[in-house]
Amino acid sequence: MSDSLKDIVEIKINGLSISINKHFCKGCGICIEMCPTKVFEWSEKLSEKGVYFPVPSYIDKCTKCRRCELMCPDFAISVEVEEGAG
Amino acid sequence: MSKYRMLKYLRQEVLPTTMCLGCGGGTVLNIFANAVDELGIDPKDLVMVSGIGCSAWIPSPYFKADTLHTTHGRPIAFATGIKVGLPDKYVVVISGDGDLAGIGGNHLLHAARRNIDIAVILVNNFIHGMTGGQVAPTTPFGAKTTTTPYGNIEHPLNISETVAAAGASYVARWTTANPFMLLKSIKKALTKKGFALVEVISQCPVQFGQRNKLRSAPDMLRWFLKNSVPLKKAMKMSPEELEGKIVIGEFIDRERVEFVEELNKIIRGVYVNAD
Ligand SMILES: Cc1ncc(C[n+]2csc(CCOP(=O)(O)OP(=O)(O)O)c2C)c(N)n1
Ligand code: SF4
Ligand code: SF4
């Protein structure tokens, strides 16, 4: 278990936030390949765990379907929508 | 700390999970947590039971509810006892195909026949993952495993059809590439009176995928999507056309007399007559 906020990569835009927990992410690529609008790309650097992880660089394309959040086997993704920003 | 809302249902001190990267078992755990959350079930009202294998690790130790990690093949037998003793609890079995349909196959059949009110999430990864990737009664014809290096010469058991025929109230099959349908069916299974089975075709990229030209979890998920046929369409196809396909959908959804309720009716009747 890790409590450190430096484990989190978060990108925000217009009341939408997508965050990845680098401590949980094993780098399987499910989110990257299964996102219908290709919001994620691989990181350039390895995480402390030694894996490439997803970065939601194209968050502007996110439709808030939450498929990535639901499919991640490691509970590493969180998609949050601020109230009223739906 | 990840911000994901579903983490509140997990024992976070044991995370990250011991599952391999990309294992579908984690996705099943994630979707199960969402089902519990959307139904507003208090985890205190849940009893989770599993057997032996990688998939038996999905509820135990991760899900923060009462969990019983039992012997190989026997979780449905334990779950039957729990449901009879504690009829007000949601009793849920999550375990593998080898565990529930191989060594424990008879428990599965007869729990469905009795139509006892438990929900079974059977994680079918086509293989005995934990012990090194041996052939299972669910391995597709022709597939390579450590014990079928020249290809499997046996035909896989059609679990969903068998359990529906045995008498279950609810049976559905989806793959881990259909997360929204899976979520809907798990919610239905949790609330259905009677025996409910959700068969989840799930990726074991390590023991199954790598031996069958599906090297990663995304490769396996794409293969699931390409090979899945909705039940309605499958009904119009011949057995030859369906060879190697994954038929997905709801196989049965019906009302049928339930075991524990009938048992308690008898018990009440006997006490009344004794007075
Ligand atoms: C009585 C008994 N026989 C055999 C074993 C060895 N064993 C452990 S896990 C397993 C297979 C589990 O397969 P499955 O249920 O498909 O789970 P997976 O690991 O694929 O998720 C076997 C045969 C055992 N633990 N106990
Ligand atoms: S699905 Fe989860 S574990 Fe896999 S790469 Fe994405 S964030 Fe990491
Ligand atoms: S061996 Fe297969 S089933 Fe077991 S944890 Fe690894 S990927 Fe999952």
Side-chain angles (χ1 to χ4, degrees), chain A residues 1-4 8 10 19 21 26 28 30 33-34 49 65-67 69-75 77 80, chain B residues 1-5 10 15-17 19 21-23 26-27 30 34 176-177 179-180 203 218 221-222:
Chain A
M1 188 169 156
S2 157
D3 276 313
S4 151
I8 307 275
E10 182 172 18
S19 59
N21 181 323
K26 293 174 186 162
C28 69
I30 290 178
E33 305 238 5
M34 291 294 137
K49 278 187 112 78
C65 74
R66 298 184 186 272
R67 180 180 283 267
E69 200 185 59
L70 202 55
M71 287 184 86
C72 171
D74 284 284
F75 291 68
I77 304 186
E80 281 161 83
Chain B
M1 182 60 64
S2 166
K3 301 162 78 183
Y4 187 31
R5 304 172 311 288
L10 303 192
L15 295 178
T17 70
M19 286 166 224
L21 88 158
C23 175
T27 303
N30 186 343
N34 276 274
T176 44
F180 298 106
Q203 72 275 16
L221 290 166
R222 273 192 293 266

Side-chain angles (χ1 to χ4, degrees), chain B residues 4-269:
Chain B
Y4 187 31
R5 304 172 311 288
M6 295 306 139
L7 281 167
K8 68 172 183 252
Y9 294 105
L10 303 192
R11 294 198 174 89
Q12 293 183 42
E13 63 276 18
V14 287
L15 295 178
T17 70
T18 50
M19 286 166 224
C20 306
L21 88 158
C23 175
T27 303
V28 175
L29 178 63
N30 186 343
I31 295 175
F32 181 75
N34 276 274
V36 169
D37 191 69
E38 287 187 15
L39 290 171
I41 294 175
D42 182 344
K44 286 197 185 75
D45 294 330
L46 263 177
V47 183
M48 318 246 330
V49 194
S50 66
I52 299 295
C54 298
S55 307
W57 278 67
I58 296 170
S60 153
Y62 305 110
F63 205 86
K64 213 196 275 170
D66 283 333
T67 46
L68 206 65
H69 205 141
T70 72
T71 47
H72 196 22
R74 313 297 161 212
I76 291 177
F78 284 87
T80 300
I82 295 165
K83 188 69 196 182
V84 171
L86 302 169
D88 297 335
K89 299 281 177 193
Y90 292 93
V91 180
V92 183
V93 172
I94 307 185
S95 219
D97 50 298
D99 191 59
L100 296 173
I103 184 169
N106 246 349
H107 296 292
L108 179 65
L109 275 186
H110 293 288
R113 177 182 61 78
R114 283 185 178 131
N115 201 32
I116 182 162
D117 187 21
I118 60 181
V120 175
I121 300 172
L122 188 154
V123 182
N124 183 355
N125 57 13
F126 306 134
I127 203 143
H128 291 140
M130 178 168 270
T131 41
Q134 295 83 357
V135 71
T138 44
T139 306
F141 186 85
K144 291 201 170 135
T145 71
T146 42
T147 46
T148 58
Y150 305 105
N152 184 21
I153 55 169
E154 297 178 20
H155 299 276
L157 179 71
N158 190 328
I159 296 173
S160 287
E161 277 185 15
T162 306
V163 171
S169 275
Y170 182 76
V171 176
R173 182 196 286 131
W174 303 105
T175 75
T176 44
N178 320 118
F180 298 106
M181 296 316 290
L182 195 50
L183 173 59
K184 210 170 143 191
S185 275
I186 291 178
K187 281 165 69 181
K188 254 193 177 172
L190 280 166
T191 45
K192 186 84 195 175
K193 189 99 199 149
F195 191 84
L197 173 85
V198 181
E199 181 185 354
V200 189
I201 304 295
S202 174
Q203 72 275 16
C204 168
V206 173
Q207 299 293 4
F208 185 85
Q210 300 219 7
R211 293 194 178 89
N212 291 284
K213 300 198 178 97
L214 299 160
R215 296 201 181 280
S216 67
D219 281 354
M220 289 207 72
L221 290 166
R222 273 192 293 266
W223 179 64
F224 290 166
L225 289 171
K226 206 173 110 214
N227 275 289
S228 292
V229 181
L231 187 57
K232 265 205 186 120
K233 189 172 168 202
M235 288 200 279
K236 294 188 208 116
M237 291 165 72
S238 67
E240 291 73 40
E241 288 172 312
L242 284 171
E243 187 66 46
K245 299 280 186 228
I246 304 165
V247 179
I248 51 170
E250 285 183 330
F251 286 72
I252 214 136
D253 184 0
R254 61 181 162 196
E255 306 309 318
R256 196 164 169 262
V257 173
E258 193 272 329
F259 176 78
V260 181
E261 228 169 54
E262 292 307 298
L263 178 67
N264 285 331
K265 269 191 215 162
I266 291 182
I267 293 173
R268 278 195 301 272

Side-chain angles (χ1 to χ4, degrees), chain A residues 13-54:
Chain A
I13 176 180
N14 303 333
L16 167 71
S17 133
I18 302 181
S19 59
I20 312 295
N21 181 323
K22 289 193 279 172
H23 177 63
F24 284 173
C25 173
K26 293 174 186 162
C28 69
I30 290 178
C31 54
I32 294 187
E33 305 238 5
M34 291 294 137
C35 169
T37 58
K38 301 273 171 260
V39 161
F40 301 95
E41 63 178 352
W42 288 110
S43 62
E44 277 169 18
K45 287 197 182 133
L46 295 172
S47 68
E48 270 175 34
K49 278 187 112 78
V51 301
Y52 293 103
F53 55 92

